[in-house]
Amino acid sequence: MKPATHETIFALASGAGRAAVAVLRISGPESGALLAALCGGVPPPRRASLRRLTGPDGVALDRALVLWLPGPGSYTGEDGAELHLHGGRAVIEAVADALAMLGARPAEPGEFTRRAFLNGRMDLTEAEGVADLIDAETEAQRRQALRQTEGALTGTLRGWADRLRLLLAEQEALIDFPDEDLPPETEDRVRAEIDALAAEMAARLADGRRGERLREGLVFVVSGAPNVGKSSLVNALAAREVAIVSPIPGTTRDALEARVALGGVPVTLVDTAGLREAGDAIEAEGVRRALARAEAADLVIEVTVAGEAPVAEQREGEGRILVANKTDLGGAVPAGALGVSAATGEGMEALREALAARAAALTQAEGPAPLTRTRHRAALTEAEERLRAARIAEWPELRAEDLRLSLRALGRITGHVGVEEILDTLFARFCIGK
Ligand code: GDP
């Protein structure tokens, strides 16, 4: 898909269904003419004006707040407009019909943001940030996505690309020098800068995947012997979060997983008791997938019964937390374990806090903006590898080529190089109207 930008597009930007207000967005070269046709004139730029809208056949459509948003300082970079209509189905349809009659066409999903990208209003990581902001379920996800829309990653990547471009220029100058005239300090400086850049990239790659983890959500697995109360614990943890629990719809895994927000992070709790007991009742494929998730768990919640001897290998560690359940029965809580009772709720708040702290530690840290997608990581890894190759390249020409390839890899992250397929998949996932 590569929609032509000479077309003027429109879409409902607000949610579908009856509402107080519906926002219809318009973008493209005919936006001004469309506004003039609908409201009898183009209102002053970037100011809300109340106008009566009339269709091309002279029929009154609505009284609406109208915004004229001339390019290039608009979201898409093109001339655009917003119509804040009364949010009824018939109103929206009548105005959309009028726009279509006047020559505009309905937008594809993500087409507004795609145009913003194509017009250089944002780079690809910022556009991905917009997608993540719309999908954000929790507070920490929202913060991370917002930061990315504001160019947090862009800034870093642009800084690296600028430095690489300088390096490349110096390296190319070195190629042009005959050997005897080589200024020795230039060669040293180039090597030192390559090392510095590679080290910065390596540091960013060694971030424990926290950005990706936050974007995708964490997986905590509840394990332990039968009947220690694993399912009861999952239910207790999930029940307190009814308002934000979003059950994963339409799969047999419903019974095995609960999605909760802990420390501002979406966490899927996988109940391994459910896995085993499910037996033939659920499809093998569902079990297989849930087991695979369990293997890739970010944290294992190891459950025992208070007073019963824990299994030898159980130790609290980085990827593990020990819980002694059924404290209401009076058993002792072993050292290093959190005593709880899923039945009475005792200790559950402390458990919730401990899990929230782990979730936050796995996904958030002070410091520069994290990578948030596998494709960022793959491209940055390549950029770093190319730098290391450049460092040991025997010929100046080969080193220049490595530097060029490193720069290209960075360009793929921001969308300045060979990204047509990424564009299609990214923007197709957007809502229409964004
Ligand atoms: P699972 O097999 O580990 O998932 O264990 P279940 O959650 O199915 O619980 C096993 C049994 O222990 C059930 O009869 C629960 O009602 C009971 N149970 C779970 N948590 C507690 C608790 O905190 N105190 C008491 N007294 N019983 C519990």
Side-chain angles (χ1 to χ4, degrees), residues 108-372:
E108 310 271 353
E111 196 170 0
F112 288 86
T113 308
R114 188 183 185 115
R115 287 184 174 200
F117 167 74
L118 292 175
N119 291 325
R121 298 290 292 166
M122 57 177 79
D123 79 359
L124 202 49
T125 67
E126 289 165 323
E128 286 169 336
V130 173
D132 293 348
L133 199 50
I134 293 169
D135 288 340
E137 289 178 286
T138 68
E139 185 58 18
Q141 283 184 319
R142 182 187 65 72
R143 280 197 306 267
Q144 172 165 293
L146 183 62
R147 231 178 134 193
Q148 198 169 316
T149 62
E150 290 172 338
L153 260 180
T154 311
T156 310
L157 295 164
R158 198 175 286 162
W160 284 336
D162 287 347
R163 284 165 65 189
L164 261 174
R165 250 177 245 114
L166 272 177
L167 262 180
L168 195 54
E170 279 200 287
Q171 185 60 42
E172 276 166 353
L174 280 179
I175 295 172
D176 296 337
F177 269 100
D179 270 357
E180 59 274 20
D181 295 345
L182 258 178
E185 65 290 351
T186 308
E187 170 73 13
D188 292 345
R189 200 173 51 235
V190 166
R191 281 174 190 261
E193 175 70 346
I194 291 177
D195 285 344
L197 267 173
E200 281 180 39
M201 291 179 188
R204 192 65 64 101
L205 286 165
D207 65 357
R209 291 186 64 247
R210 60 189 162 87
E212 289 131 288
R213 280 178 149 157
L214 177 53
R215 200 176 77 77
E216 291 157 15
L218 297 172
V219 177
F220 287 3
V221 164
V222 185
S223 80
N227 280 324
V228 293
K230 296 180 294 297
S231 306
S232 309
L233 275 173
V234 168
N235 287 338
L237 285 168
R240 287 283 303 275
E241 292 289 338
V242 191
I244 45 127
V245 168
S246 54
I248 299 157
T251 71
T252 46
R253 291 183 295 151
D254 285 8
L256 316 178
E257 299 185 358
R259 199 160 164 92
V260 300
L262 292 167
V265 182
V267 176
T268 303
L269 295 170
V270 181
D271 176 4
T272 53
L275 281 182
R276 228 170 303 135
E277 285 156 16
D280 1 314
I282 72 169
E283 304 151 33
E285 177 60 16
V287 174
R288 196 192 60 74
R289 273 193 226 166
L291 275 171
R293 291 170 66 83
E295 267 167 34
D298 297 291
L299 184 78
V300 176
I301 305 169
E302 196 75 62
V303 187
T304 56
V305 171
E308 290 178 12
V311 191
E313 80 266 17
Q314 286 177 346
R315 240 175 296 114
E316 165 121 8
E318 206 183 311
R320 171 171 302 265
I321 203 164
L322 292 187
V323 174
N325 188 32
K326 309 196 188 182
T327 50
D328 55 296
L329 299 179
V333 176
L338 266 169
V340 303
S341 166
T344 68
E346 189 193 343
M348 287 302 293
E349 202 45 49
L351 173 60
R352 169 174 298 280
E353 277 167 22
L355 295 176
R358 293 298 188 101
L362 283 164
T363 55
Q364 294 146 71
E366 294 296 313
L371 308 173
T372 56

Side-chain angles (χ1 to χ4, degrees), residues 370-400:
L371 308 173
T372 56
R373 292 179 192 242
T374 315
R375 69 165 204 93
H376 302 166
R377 181 167 301 280
L380 187 58
T381 302
E382 189 186 332
E384 193 232 13
E385 283 169 1
R386 289 299 173 181
L387 277 179
R388 301 220 180 269
R391 183 68 170 75
I392 55 168
E394 287 194 27
W395 302 93
E397 289 82 357
L398 290 182
R399 181 187 284 168

